[in-house]
Amino acid sequence: GDSSVALQAQEEIIEMKDVFSVKLKLRRFAGQKKGGTLLGITIFKCLNKEENKLTDCAIHLNNLSEDHCQSWFRQLKEILNGFQNRPKSLKVFVNPSSHKREATHVYYEKVAPLFKLADIKTDVTVTEYEGHALSVLKECELQAFDGVVCVGGDGSVSEVAHGLLLRAQMDAGKDTDYVSKPVRAPVPLGVIPAGTTNILAHTLYGIKHAVTATLHIVMGHIQAVDVCTFSTPSKLLRFGFSAMFGFGARTLALAEKHRWMPSSQRKDFAFIKTLADLKPEECELSFLPLQIPQEDCQEKDRKKRERTKKGSKDQWQKIQGHFLNVSIMAIPCLCSMAPRGLAPNTRLNNGSMALIVVQNTSRTEFIKHLKRYTSVENQFNFPFVETYTVQEVKVQPRLKSGPDAKENMCLNAASAEGNYPWNIDGDLMRGASEVHVRVHPQLIDLYGVNTDDLESSQATCNCI
């Protein structure tokens, strides 16, 4: 064109690492399904729209030369195929019962079109009952897939992660009843948020947004994550990322008894009822502190070690008493109600767990502690809250006697066998009288990015 047109042109650079698909651009007549007039090529790019949100955009490059377009198309496809970690085939689990039964809609309306655009083949299982994904993972040919994707809430993701790791132990010929040194999951796990809290998705992406999660999977962003094993003295109970014993578990146990209620009402009712009937658990906690080199220790870590019992390098420490809640978390556990995380002092893959112990206190003080999670203030700055950085934890509740024994039996529904409720990644588990928790560094790869250092203002998910 002339000089005036040239001056108006604006140059734009596209980096191929941000491109996830390229297609031939065709003009077709009404009713025409194949062929058509070649107009050029279209490049589909992953765009960082605002804060942590990702979206896709299309860039059209026009050229009427068929040879020219085909040459560009082949070259760009070859470049895209050279990127590592980008999946070509995925096993997908969709939990249709998650939250407001929206997972199926989320997958087929928002996720599946992007997988198709990126030429990713999928094998979809819509789960029909609890444990369905676990049974499928034990039998399916995992080597045929580059990754596994779960569309659902925290409980669904936990089940799929557990199934992946259990399958890894089976394939390695290891005993699945007692796992001391587990092997890594064979393929990465993708998390599409479609539940209530979506803690794992929020921790990975900093936001509850199905398209963002899908694009992280399509782009092959891989993040190694620590995983815990929850075991009795003789049996593996579960692989998981976080757990609560006491108030957090009692609330979930009560909510599970009222599943006939709508999800949000059920959770609110269980929370308020458990808070009204607030009772401590009498138990003994044994833990093995994480050994940190002296030169890397901060002053607050030094003071905390001084408060605990002196011992040798590998000596276990014990705490006995009445506790309102015990949290054991290998990940920060971000969510809308806790923008800094339920365990802000831990990381996704540093080989440690946060042990957070809330000792018996008044209901008013406990509520103050809970409210502090929603702010950027230190939620642990209370005399009745202790935090530790640990490698292993043993929780041994003590059986109740007297007036509380009847209530204890009703709550647990299995107290004759010494079982207690645990909240493991949003799933209710019945633990034996002693549960041993170990952290295993970087045991599974998840599709996503490390959001450990995100500012709290970036945690914008509006779920409950």
Side-chain angles (χ1 to χ4, degrees):
D2 57 30
S3 59
S4 61
V5 175
L7 288 172
Q8 293 174 7
Q10 187 173 7
E11 184 178 277
E12 181 180 352
I13 296 174
I14 302 170
E15 295 191 47
M16 286 302 295
K17 68 179 180 63
D18 297 326
V19 175
F20 66 90
S21 182
V22 57
K23 301 290 183 184
L24 292 171
K25 184 180 179 182
L26 301 169
R27 175 190 290 147
R28 290 172 178 165
F29 297 105
Q32 185 179 3
K33 295 183 179 180
K34 294 183 179 181
T37 304
L38 187 60
L39 301 177
I41 62 174
T42 300
I43 292 174
F44 295 91
K45 178 185 175 184
C46 178
L47 183 67
N48 195 335
K49 191 174 182 181
E50 56 183 32
E51 295 180 340
N52 304 306
K53 185 179 290 186
L54 300 181
T55 187
D56 61 298
C57 65
I59 300 169
H60 303 285
L61 305 178
N62 300 324
N63 195 293
L64 297 181
S65 167
E66 186 169 342
D67 290 341
H68 192 73
C69 291
Q70 288 287 357
S71 176
W72 271 83
F73 178 74
R74 287 193 301 269
Q75 291 292 331
L76 292 179
K77 287 287 287 185
E78 185 176 342
I79 294 173
L80 292 181
N81 291 333
F83 287 114
Q84 294 183 346
N85 299 329
R86 294 195 178 184
K88 303 292 191 300
S89 178
L90 293 170
K91 175 63 186 175
V92 180
F93 292 97
V94 180
N95 181 2
S97 301
S98 291
H99 192 34
K100 298 178 180 178
R101 302 184 181 276
E102 62 185 13
T104 305
H105 171 79
V106 166
Y107 177 72
Y108 287 107
E109 295 297 322
K110 299 180 179 180
V111 180
L114 285 172
F115 284 165
K116 183 178 180 180
L117 190 60
D119 298 319
I120 298 174
K121 297 178 180 179
T122 57
D123 181 74
V124 182
T125 296
V126 179
T127 57
E128 300 174 0
Y129 53 87
E130 185 178 350
H132 189 181
L134 178 61
S135 62
V136 171
L137 283 169
K138 286 182 178 180
E139 304 294 335
C140 76
E141 299 293 333
L142 272 181
Q143 62 269 23
F145 304 104
D146 298 315
V148 173
V149 173
C150 178
V151 187
D154 289 322
S156 305
V157 175
S158 179
E159 179 184 329
V160 173
H162 174 69
L164 264 178
L165 287 163
L166 205 60
R167 174 62 184 271
Q169 314 317 307
M170 294 167 59
D171 291 345
K174 289 183 171 287
D175 183 7
T176 55
D177 285 336
Y178 184 77
V179 181
S180 58
K181 294 183 179 180
V183 298
R184 297 186 88 247
V187 293
L189 170 62
V191 180
I192 306 293
T196 305
T197 50
N198 303 287
I199 283 176
L200 191 57
H202 199 166
T203 303
L204 285 169
Y205 314 127
I207 192 172
K208 178 193 175 183
H209 190 237
V211 171
T212 295
T214 305
L215 287 172
H216 278 297
I217 296 170
V218 167
M219 301 297 288
H221 297 157
I222 297 293
Q223 172 65 54
V225 178
D226 300 339
V227 180
C228 303
T229 50
F230 300 86
S231 310
T232 69
S234 61
K235 183 180 179 181
L236 172 71
L237 295 175
R238 185 89 171 197
F239 287 100
F241 302 97
S242 63
M244 285 186 283
F245 178 80
F247 178 80
R250 281 174 171 264
T251 302
L252 182 60
L254 188 59
E256 289 298 308
K257 286 186 176 182
H258 294 78
R259 291 199 68 86
W260 52 271
M261 298 174 66
S263 176
S264 59
Q265 293 181 21
R266 179 174 73 243
K267 293 180 183 297
D268 290 344
F269 165 78
F271 180 84
I272 295 171
K273 184 71 167 63
T274 308
L275 198 58
D277 299 332
L278 189 64
K279 294 182 179 66
E281 297 282 0
E282 183 180 359
C283 60
E284 178 182 282
L285 302 177
S286 305
F287 59 91
L288 185 62
L290 180 70
Q291 300 301 324
I292 305 174
Q294 185 66 32
E295 60 272 16
D296 295 337
C297 294
Q298 297 181 1
E299 181 67 15
K300 61 181 180 180
D301 295 322
R302 183 185 63 79
K303 291 181 179 180
K304 186 175 295 183
R305 287 198 308 278
E306 290 175 355
R307 290 200 304 269
T308 57
K309 295 180 180 179
K310 303 290 184 179
S312 64
K313 183 178 180 181
D314 296 323
Q315 184 174 350
W316 286 73
Q317 299 177 5
K318 290 185 179 181
I319 305 175
Q320 294 182 354
H322 293 78
F323 307 114
L324 292 177
N325 193 69
V326 177
S327 299
I328 305 168
M329 300 178 171
I331 62 175
C333 294
L334 275 65
C335 66
S336 62
M337 301 303 293
R340 293 183 65 243
L342 298 174
N345 296 329
T346 191
R347 294 292 179 262
L348 283 171
N349 57 4
N350 66 348
S352 71
M353 299 181 294
L355 171 62
I356 305 165
V357 181
V358 182
Q359 299 175 4
N360 192 20
T361 188
S362 67
R363 184 182 292 105
T364 302
E365 289 298 304
F366 185 63
I367 291 173
K368 288 181 181 178
H369 163 63
L370 295 179
K371 283 184 175 180
R372 194 74 67 83
Y373 277 102
T374 63
S375 70
V376 297
E377 299 179 66
N378 183 4
Q379 59 261 46
F380 308 131
N381 190 23
F382 293 94
F384 54 87
V385 179
E386 289 286 345
T387 63
Y388 304 91
T389 302
V390 301
Q391 302 174 70
E392 298 185 42
V393 180
K394 292 179 181 178
V395 181
Q396 188 167 10
R398 300 193 178 278
L399 290 172
K400 292 182 179 180
S401 59
D404 290 339
K406 184 177 180 180
E407 183 273 337
N408 190 58
M409 291 179 67
C410 295
L411 176 68
N412 294 325
S415 59
E417 299 177 6
N419 288 357
Y420 291 80
W422 280 76
N423 181 341
I424 300 180
D425 296 329
D427 261 0
L428 182 64
M429 297 288 293
R430 296 289 178 180
S433 57
E434 179 180 322
V435 174
H436 188 179
V437 187
R438 295 185 182 92
V439 64
H440 305 277
Q442 304 184 23
L443 195 59
I444 191 171
D445 287 330
L446 299 182
Y447 288 108
V449 293
N450 194 329
T451 56
D452 287 334
D453 298 321
L454 287 176
E455 294 294 330
S456 60
S457 61
Q458 293 180 308
T460 57
C461 113
N462 56 7
C463 54
I464 296 178

